[in-house]
Amino acid sequence: MPTIKDVASRAGVAISTVSAVINRSAPVSEEVIQRVEEAIAAIGYLPHGAAKALRSGDSRLIGLILPDITNPFFSTVARVIETVCMRAGYMTFVYNTDEDIDHEMRILKMMRAQRVAGLVLISTRSDAEHGRRLMSEINVPTVLFSSSVPATPYDAVTLDEAMASRIAIEHLAALGHRRIGVLTGRPNVSTHEERLEACVETMRAHGIEPSGDLIVAANFDQAQAFGATKALLALPEPPSAIFAFSNLMMIGMMRAVVASGLSCPRDISLVGIGDFEWPEIMNPQMTVVSMPAAEMAERSIEILLAEIASKRAPTGRRTMFEPRLIIRESTAAPRLSLPA
Amino acid sequence: MPTIKDVASRAGVAISTVSAVINRSAPVSEEVIQRVEEAIAAIGYLPHGAAKALRSGDSRLIGLILPDITNPFFSTVARVIETVCMRAGYMTFVYNTDEDIDHEMRILKMMRAQRVAGLVLISTRSDAEHGRRLMSEINVPTVLFSSSVPATPYDAVTLDEAMASRIAIEHLAALGHRRIGVLTGRPNVSTHEERLEACVETMRAHGIEPSGDLIVAANFDQAQAFGATKALLALPEPPSAIFAFSNLMMIGMMRAVVASGLSCPRDISLVGIGDFEWPEIMNPQMTVVSMPAAEMAERSIEILLAEIASKRAPTGRRTMFEPRLIIRESTAAPRLSLPA
DNA sequence: TGTATTACTCGAAACGTTTCGTGCAAGCGC
DNA sequence: GCGCTTGCACGAAACGTTTCGAGTAATACA
């Protein structure tokens, strides 16, 4: 591959002059610019990214760490971030953690080895201990996405998680449901904790005493949600509605309802957090709490790029977005309401 | 950030010795290895990727270029490739072309600037002219995925496209369909060309003369498939079945059927190429020609890594995988068959 | 007309590694 | 006891850039 040296000698100028015209970092005469650009085109020169990064100390690389790109929510996040980064002259590394904390740390290490200029991190845990580990492993501007980690100075972009639970439970309560099942995520994850707390609060506010039997952790996982839903449905007194904390768990619920020979919403109402791109092809069309994925992604990368550009310390601010309840077909009044 | 120099001075050895223990590239006494490893751990040293790449001439980077990571087919491809690469000590860049040929070339350029060691490319076009452009732009081992480009020396991993069309059309013909619509992709794409040719052949083999009215290009696109399907349905003599060349177009078809107030498979049968992860939550469950996405991805990256490792020229071989017809609910016998 | 300024170009150092030739001591065969 | 190999450690060069101080010619100012 040709180097800047080849360009220089072909154009009959010094290496530093070529650099100046490429980066427009110093005044160069029109005539020399011409010659250099011709030389570049003629030999097909492309600056060597690693050499540039090494010398300038700026990798122009950004890392995105998320649970699973296969999840449509995360893939749209990735697309948005990639697009914005490219426009700003950054390339992106996208890596999957599979919600495995050790793997997350391993990926963080790889990113650090690449000297990424910044990180958007959808972390798998959000307790203080993990926060400390993160702090020791991360030495670049970082924004947390869809989770907030205490004891940590990073900016965060999240949903208003409490509101998400509240509008879902209120919808169900308004329909007349009293026995409401909840498929939650996993302890030490802020989305889990905050949504769960708001669920309980909202139920109590509506005179429903949350029952431990009906609130089950399903790890944000489709298969676990399937199993948990079947178990819930097999209870002597099954819930008349179930609320799930993720889009994948919603799918698990629906599969379980089908597999149990029941029908939604006739036998059971279903709501979840996270929308689907083509609701009309689903059976039934799901009532969901939808989150503005693209807007959130855009905001997070904007915050990150601003922090990188300004070289300012993070503010530790949390930017929240509002979820929206979309009522479709999967929720209805309970079939027969038992006397309270 | 600490450098190898800091490690060296803390361990009381030369820089080259540190390098030798890190890379196990030369014999080092057990005692010195100890000291060096302690020093590394103590100061939290991580080799500088760009410096390594620059000096060694090996970026340990692999590029994956695909149409749209948001498409579940491609996101599973990306996951597989990322996983295999990481295991082999490579990092991956994943970029979306949006099926825009100029954007594809731009991304190729970025990849070249990063001096990626290899490329798996799901190209947007596959005519000879594009092949020539590719050849001039690509100077690293490359495997083409899901497309084959003539006049090009690259290895390719694809579906047996002819078989995909054949089994779909044969299924429809066996059910008794005579007026079969086809939603194709876009000219100059090998998946389009090969599938279309096989469609026509198979129809003729079954005594069905393909009609130009019923074969419409929808660009592999969901929205265009929606429109095309509505148009097909509004024909004076609408088809009794439609076959689409992609999973997204299948969704477009189903939406169009719903929007037209019709019912599948009662009023029309629908088949497509590409499966969905949770067919049972769809209405109706789709009959599809499924392709082994993960296996294909795995094979392609294996071929690429082998080519990189062996430093051998590509063989130009095409590895084909067999599609499989999965019959579910969206196909049935035509409602009333007109006399031929 | 002399001097300060500007516009341009250049050469060399530096970024953090790997690689290679060299040196040195110990062990070996004869 | 001598020369050879072997095992280990070292120093310096090189990878392809950017950056910076310095040099030169032309222009502007007084």
Side-chain angles (χ1 to χ4, degrees):
Chain A
M1 282 224 110
T3 74
I4 197 174
K5 201 171 168 182
D6 303 315
V7 176
S9 64
R10 183 178 236 269
V13 298
I15 288 178
S16 51
T17 304
V18 177
S19 176
V21 356
I22 291 173
N23 303 300
R24 294 170 182 349
S25 53
V28 180
S29 71
E30 208 36 69
E31 186 235 333
V32 170
I33 290 182
Q34 282 274 336
R35 284 219 312 278
V36 169
E37 282 175 347
E38 276 171 29
I40 288 176
I43 67 181
Y45 166 74
L46 256 185
H48 191 299
K52 237 177 149 115
L54 174 59
R55 171 59 230 225
S56 68
D58 180 3
S59 66
R60 309 300 302 180
L61 254 24
I62 293 230
L64 168 59
I65 301 181
L66 42 75
D68 181 8
I69 190 92
T70 265
N71 183 321
F73 174 70
F74 296 125
S75 66
T76 93
V77 169
R79 285 236 40 180
V80 170
I81 289 184
E82 181 204 293
T83 304
V84 175
C85 279
M86 172 143 33
R87 211 182 304 138
Y90 284 89
M91 291 194 71
T92 344
F93 280 118
V94 181
Y95 270 80
N96 304 88
T97 63
D98 274 322
E99 315 234 306
D100 173 334
I101 192 72
D102 297 322
H103 197 209
E104 179 174 327
M105 298 312 283
R106 236 173 294 143
I107 291 168
L108 241 20
K109 195 151 279 178
M110 287 174 28
M111 297 279 181
R112 205 153 70 100
Q114 293 297 328
R115 301 301 192 268
V116 293
L119 229 35
V120 2
L121 174 61
I122 307 181
S123 188
T124 286
R125 264 175 56 184
S126 29
D127 55 309
E129 188 203 328
H130 186 49
R132 279 188 294 277
R133 280 222 273 170
L134 247 31
M135 300 265 307
S136 75
E137 195 63 43
I138 296 179
N139 58 343
V140 292
T142 295
V143 359
L144 267 17
F145 186 92
S146 178
S147 74
S148 72
V149 180
T152 246
Y154 312 118
D155 286 342
V157 171
T158 74
L159 199 66
D160 183 336
E161 308 291 357
M163 178 175 175
S165 283
R166 199 171 56 239
I167 58 183
I169 297 294
E170 273 171 358
H171 171 60
L172 258 16
L175 247 23
H177 292 277
R178 313 289 300 167
R179 283 185 69 74
I180 300 176
V182 182
L183 261 34
T184 74
R186 183 176 350 108
N188 291 327
V189 179
S190 58
T191 46
H192 165 92
E193 309 283 9
E194 295 173 8
R195 290 172 187 178
L196 179 56
E197 188 184 338
C199 271
V200 170
E201 266 175 22
T202 309
M203 287 187 192
R204 292 220 171 100
H206 288 265
I208 302 171
E209 186 50 32
S211 141
D213 301 349
L214 298 185
I215 300 184
V216 2
N219 208 25
F220 298 115
D221 181 77
Q222 188 277 138
Q224 288 189 40
F226 178 85
T229 303
K230 288 202 78 167
L232 246 24
L233 259 21
L235 247 32
E237 272 190 77
S240 63
I242 313 182
F243 169 42
F245 281 7
S246 83
N247 52 357
L248 254 36
M249 291 200 292
M250 237 183 303
I251 290 176
M253 290 198 301
M254 289 183 50
R255 292 182 55 230
V257 169
V258 170
S260 301
L262 298 175
S263 158
C264 165
R266 201 194 52 197
D267 303 308
I268 185 142
S269 287
L270 262 23
V271 212
I273 298 183
D275 204 3
F276 298 95
E277 203 171 0
W278 313 114
E280 64 258 67
I281 65 171
M282 292 177 62
N283 181 30
Q285 296 185 27
M286 290 294 295
T287 294
V288 298
V289 175
S290 93
M291 41 208 288
E295 290 82 348
M296 288 171 66
E298 195 163 356
R299 178 68 69 83
S300 66
I301 186 65
E302 279 168 1
I303 291 176
L304 181 63
L305 291 175
E307 189 182 327
I308 293 172
S310 72
K311 298 184 165 81
R312 274 203 301 278
T315 61
R317 202 171 6 230
R318 173 167 175 177
T319 306
M320 290 206 287
F321 283 74
E322 292 202 346
R324 203 161 48 86
L325 181 70
I326 303 179
I327 300 175
R328 289 197 275 247
E329 302 171 347
S330 68
T331 47
R335 202 153 172 206
L336 66 165
S337 51
L338 304 166
Chain B
M1 281 225 114
T3 74
I4 197 173
K5 203 171 167 182
D6 303 315
V7 177
S9 64
R10 182 178 236 268
V13 299
I15 287 178
S16 51
T17 303
V18 176
S19 175
V21 356
I22 290 173
N23 303 299
R24 295 175 180 345
S25 52
V28 180
S29 71
E30 205 40 64
E31 185 234 333
V32 171
I33 290 182
Q34 282 275 336
R35 283 219 314 277
V36 169
E37 282 175 347
E38 276 172 28
I40 288 176
I43 66 181
Y45 166 75
L46 256 186
H48 191 300
K52 238 176 148 114
L54 174 58
R55 171 59 232 223
S56 69
D58 180 4
S59 66
R60 307 300 304 181
L61 254 25
I62 294 230
L64 168 59
I65 301 180
L66 42 74
D68 181 8
I69 190 92
T70 264
N71 183 321
F73 175 70
F74 296 125
S75 65
T76 92
V77 170
R79 285 236 40 180
V80 170
I81 289 183
E82 181 205 292
T83 303
V84 176
C85 279
M86 172 143 32
R87 210 182 305 139
Y90 285 89
M91 289 193 72
T92 345
F93 281 117
V94 180
Y95 270 80
N96 304 88
T97 63
D98 273 323
E99 316 233 306
D100 173 333
I101 192 73
D102 297 323
H103 197 210
E104 178 173 326
M105 298 311 282
R106 238 172 293 143
I107 291 168
L108 241 20
K109 197 151 278 181
M110 287 174 27
M111 298 279 182
R112 207 154 71 101
Q114 293 297 327
R115 301 301 193 268
V116 292
L119 228 36
V120 3
L121 174 60
I122 306 181
S123 187
T124 286
R125 263 175 56 184
S126 29
D127 55 308
E129 188 203 330
H130 186 49
R132 279 188 294 276
R133 279 221 275 168
L134 247 30
M135 301 263 310
S136 75
E137 195 63 44
I138 295 179
N139 59 343
V140 292
T142 294
V143 359
L144 266 18
F145 187 92
S146 180
S147 75
S148 73
V149 180
T152 245
Y154 311 119
D155 285 341
V157 171
T158 74
L159 199 65
D160 182 336
E161 309 290 358
M163 178 175 174
S165 283
R166 198 169 58 240
I167 59 183
I169 297 294
E170 273 171 357
H171 170 61
L172 259 16
L175 248 21
H177 292 277
R178 312 289 302 167
R179 282 185 71 73
I180 299 176
V182 182
L183 261 35
T184 74
R186 182 175 352 108
N188 291 327
V189 179
S190 58
T191 47
H192 165 93
E193 307 283 10
E194 296 174 8
R195 290 172 188 179
L196 179 56
E197 188 185 337
C199 271
V200 170
E201 267 176 20
T202 310
M203 286 185 192
R204 293 220 171 100
H206 288 265
I208 302 170
E209 187 50 33
S211 142
D213 301 350
L214 298 185
I215 299 184
V216 3
N219 208 26
F220 297 115
D221 181 78
Q222 188 278 139
Q224 289 189 39
F226 178 87
T229 303
K230 288 202 80 167
L232 247 24
L233 259 19
L235 248 30
E237 270 191 78
S240 62
I242 313 180
F243 170 42
F245 281 6
S246 82
N247 51 358
L248 254 37
M249 291 199 292
M250 238 182 302
I251 290 175
M253 291 198 300
M254 288 183 50
R255 292 181 56 230
V257 170
V258 170
S260 301
L262 298 174
S263 159
C264 165
R266 203 194 50 195
D267 303 307
I268 184 140
S269 288
L270 261 24
V271 213
I273 298 183
D275 204 3
F276 298 96
E277 203 172 1
W278 314 114
E280 63 257 69
I281 66 170
M282 292 178 61
N283 181 28
Q285 296 185 28
M286 290 292 296
T287 294
V288 299
V289 176
S290 93
M291 40 209 289
E295 289 83 349
M296 288 171 67
E298 194 162 356
R299 177 67 69 85
S300 66
I301 186 63
E302 279 169 6
I303 291 175
L304 180 62
L305 291 176
E307 189 182 328
I308 293 173
S310 73
K311 299 184 163 81
R312 274 203 300 277
T315 61
R317 203 174 1 233
R318 173 169 176 179
T319 306
M320 290 206 286
F321 282 74
E322 293 202 346
R324 203 159 49 85
L325 181 71
I326 302 180
I327 300 175
R328 287 197 275 248
E329 304 170 348
S330 67
T331 47
R335 202 154 171 202
L336 66 165
S337 51
L338 304 166

